[in-house]
């Protein structure tokens, strides 16, 4: 039946929907799909690291041996053998993490959304680094908090700065390992200081750790969740060490909180794919990551060094940048008068892309900053792209 002369539909969106904003990085990625663009923009892992053959074998084995279980609805908290593996991997220094503390999520982005839903009310004070991960700012923004920027320096978050801003805060969100976007890492001393300060203030600390395994030196620093499992919420992901396409992350939290997160997840999607959880467990259960991750570290370390060398050669002396020892990103600070957003337009016209730094700031953005990612670009294209970018910057000085 066709309705004759219908009235125009009057959509009335919720206030929170009116606040939604597209991810700036996602918008840039639409442009950088063009093969002629040398893209330093995406925070994407290199497809060269994806264990395609191992995943094929695991899918076949799981579907052959346990297909009816794998294709059925699963428990909200996740596949128990995988949760046990995660709990065992995080247990250290006499601290025992149990699988009941582990909630599997559809990527770590869902973990951020669930944490926001459970911990943040409108107007809640939420402490974030300066700058911070854009995806977290976007996820938390839906719940309309008051973002408070925490002091940082060349070594990352400054624990001593918390006392002056922590009053009434619901949480502190931090990425201690090869931070997105800056590539910085917290020292062991600062980790202890941060955990002790948050415990003293009664401030929940979210430790987001998607890059911790990607230390080029092969020796990641201790996780803060093992220093205080009653006060630290740990987030992990298989996106950077296996493949992002499976959308599999997890959050580890004290039992009272993880139960609330589980209830929020029930309302969101019932459960994360049982099939992908079983496949990932099949791949990793016998030590595959111990053999696989060193290959990723070597590849990323070589490409990072290639970019750093090219920047030394082609960037003006007035430009500074971080020198990460792991992860996927380099953070660039231009002279104050150069606006990275305007520079991006010129760079794209010259077939080079990057991410301006402004979207990574919750408050008072520094417009003369930008993020470069090196992991999906060949050394030859890294050198070509950095030379082009260096000339564009030099022309503005």
């Amino acid at each position: 039946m066709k309705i004759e002369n219908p009235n125009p539909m009057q959509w009335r969106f919720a206030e929170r929907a009116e606040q939604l904003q597209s991810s700036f990085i996602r918008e840039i990625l639409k442009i950088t799909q063009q093969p002629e663009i040398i893209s330093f923009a995406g925070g994407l892992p290199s497809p060269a690291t994806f264990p395609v053959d191992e995943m094929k074998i695991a899918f076949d084995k799981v579907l052959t041996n346990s297909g009816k279980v794998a294709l059925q609805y699963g428990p909200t908290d996740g596949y128990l053998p995988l949760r046990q593996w995660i709990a065992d991997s995080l247990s250290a220094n006499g601290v025992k993490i149990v699988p009941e503390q582990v909630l599997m999520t559809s990527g770590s982005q869902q973990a951020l959304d669930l944490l926001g839903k459970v911990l943040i009310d409108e107007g809640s004070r939420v402490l974030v680094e300066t700058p911070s991960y854009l995806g977290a700012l976007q996820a938390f923004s839906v719940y309309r908090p008051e973002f408070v920027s925490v002091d940082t320096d060349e070594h990352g978050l400054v624990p001593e700065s918390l006392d002056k801003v922590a009053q009434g805060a619901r949480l502190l969100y931090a990425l201690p390992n090869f931070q997105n976007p800056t590539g910085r890492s917290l020292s062991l001393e600062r980790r202890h200081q941060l955990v002790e300060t948050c415990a003293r203030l009664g401030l929940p600390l979210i430790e987001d750790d998607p890059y911790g395994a990607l230390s080029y030196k092969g020796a990641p620093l201790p996780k803060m969740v093992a220093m205080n499992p009653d006060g630290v919420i740990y987030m992990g992901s298989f996106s950077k060490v296996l493949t992002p396409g499976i959308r599999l992350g997890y959050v580890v939290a004290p039992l009272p909180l993880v139960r609330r997160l589980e209830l929020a997840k029930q309302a969101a999607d019932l459960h994360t794919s049982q099939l992908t959880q079983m496949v990932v467990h099949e791949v990793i259960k016998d030590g595959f990551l111990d053999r696989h991750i060193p290959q990723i570290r070597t590849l990323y370390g070589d490409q990072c060094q290639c970019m750093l060398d090219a920047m030394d050669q082609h960037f003006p002396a007035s430009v500074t940048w971080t020198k990460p020892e792991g992860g996927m990103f380099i953070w660039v600070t231009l002279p104050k008068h150069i606006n990275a957003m305007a520079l991006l337009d010129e760079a794209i016209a010259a077939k080079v892309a990057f991410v301006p730094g402004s979207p990574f700031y919750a408050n008072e953005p520094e417009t003369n900053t930008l993020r470069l990612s090196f992991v999906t670009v060949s050394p030859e294209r890294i050198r070509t792209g950095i030379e082009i970018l260096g000339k564009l910057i030099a022309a503005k000085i």
Side-chain angles (χ1 to χ4, degrees):
M1 180 183 74
K2 182 179 180 181
I3 298 175
E4 299 293 334
N5 301 316
N7 288 324
M9 187 62 68
Q10 301 297 316
W11 295 106
R12 297 184 64 185
F13 294 111
E15 287 186 18
R16 73 179 65 88
E18 299 287 0
Q19 302 296 318
L20 295 176
Q21 297 182 0
S22 175
S23 166
F24 188 83
I25 296 174
R26 288 280 154 183
E27 295 303 315
I28 291 178
L29 289 180
K30 293 178 184 178
I31 299 172
T32 61
Q33 296 301 313
Q34 304 169 37
E36 67 271 21
I37 298 285
I38 300 174
S39 178
F40 303 135
L44 312 175
S46 171
T49 68
F50 299 163
V52 176
D53 292 340
E54 288 79 5
M55 296 293 286
K56 281 182 180 178
I57 293 169
F59 268 106
D60 183 66
K61 187 172 182 179
V62 168
L63 289 171
T64 299
N65 297 338
S66 308
K68 292 183 178 180
V69 175
L71 297 174
Q72 184 55 281
Y73 287 112
T76 300
D77 53 3
Y79 182 53
L80 180 57
L82 181 57
R83 289 162 52 225
Q84 183 68 65
W85 184 94
I86 292 168
D88 291 343
S89 71
L90 292 174
S91 297
N93 302 323
V95 172
K96 179 68 174 176
I97 304 295
V98 296
E100 289 77 16
Q101 294 175 256
V102 181
L103 176 68
M104 303 306 302
T105 59
S106 299
S108 59
Q109 193 67 23
Q110 187 187 45
L112 288 168
D113 178 66
L114 295 177
L115 287 163
K117 190 176 294 183
V118 168
L119 294 175
I120 299 173
D121 290 316
E122 183 173 351
S124 297
R125 288 168 65 84
V126 171
L127 310 186
V128 295
E129 296 169 291
T130 311
S132 187
Y133 170 50
L134 176 58
L137 299 178
Q138 190 176 25
F140 294 156
S141 290
V142 174
Y143 305 102
R144 305 175 77 174
E146 175 199 356
F147 285 117
V148 178
S149 299
V150 177
D151 291 346
T152 60
D153 59 22
E154 66 272 21
H155 304 295
L157 189 150
V158 180
E160 295 86 351
S161 68
L162 288 178
D163 283 284
K164 63 185 180 183
V165 295
Q167 180 74 29
R170 292 289 179 89
L171 61 90
L172 166 63
Y173 172 75
L175 293 96
N177 295 312
F178 319 121
Q179 191 231 29
N180 182 358
T182 66
R184 298 167 179 151
S185 292
L186 281 180
S187 66
L188 180 59
E189 180 182 6
R190 281 200 179 182
R191 287 166 199 253
H192 284 295
Q193 290 176 349
L194 183 58
V195 171
E196 291 168 0
T197 300
C198 287
R200 173 172 55 80
L201 295 171
L203 177 64
L205 169 60
I206 297 177
E207 178 183 13
D208 192 358
D209 190 26
Y211 312 105
L214 303 181
S215 167
Y216 306 150
K217 296 181 178 180
L221 287 166
K223 302 183 188 307
M224 293 186 291
V225 68
M227 301 175 189
N228 182 21
D230 293 328
V232 177
I233 303 157
Y234 182 85
M235 289 175 47
S237 170
F238 292 100
S239 292
K240 306 304 187 294
V241 295
L242 280 178
T243 162
I246 55 175
R247 305 309 304 129
L248 193 56
Y250 53 91
V251 58
V252 180
L255 292 175
L257 173 57
V258 83
R259 177 57 180 162
R260 295 282 183 171
L261 295 171
E262 183 181 351
L263 293 175
K265 182 173 171 63
Q266 285 178 9
D269 66 355
L270 299 182
H271 69 94
T272 296
S273 166
Q274 180 97 324
L275 173 60
T276 55
Q277 291 182 73
M278 293 176 71
V279 166
V280 166
H281 181 256
E282 181 64 35
V283 171
I284 68 176
K285 67 179 183 179
D286 295 322
F288 171 74
L289 291 181
D290 293 335
R291 304 185 296 275
H292 181 61
I293 289 175
Q295 299 174 29
I296 304 176
R297 291 169 177 159
T298 298
L299 175 65
Y300 289 4
D302 289 346
Q303 291 182 201
C304 179
Q305 191 59 54
C306 176
M307 181 171 279
L308 291 173
D309 290 343
M311 293 166 76
D312 279 334
Q313 181 178 356
H314 297 293
F315 276 17
S318 56
V319 178
T320 60
W321 54 89
T322 57
K323 296 177 174 58
E325 296 183 347
M328 301 166 53
F329 306 108
I330 295 172
W331 184 248
V332 180
T333 302
L334 306 170
K336 286 285 187 181
H337 69 278
I338 300 180
N339 187 307
M341 201 71 75
L343 179 65
L344 175 63
D345 293 335
E346 297 180 25
I348 289 176
K351 307 301 183 185
V352 178
F354 58 84
V355 181
S358 296
F360 295 99
Y361 290 86
N363 304 293
E364 300 179 8
E366 296 184 11
T367 58
N368 63 318
T369 57
L370 59 92
R371 189 193 76 178
L372 300 175
S373 179
F374 43 81
V375 301
T376 60
V377 191
S378 69
E380 180 181 2
R381 283 167 68 84
I382 287 174
R383 287 187 283 267
T384 299
I386 291 298
E387 182 176 3
I388 294 170
L389 193 53
K391 290 178 179 177
L392 292 174
I393 296 170
K396 294 181 174 296
I397 294 176

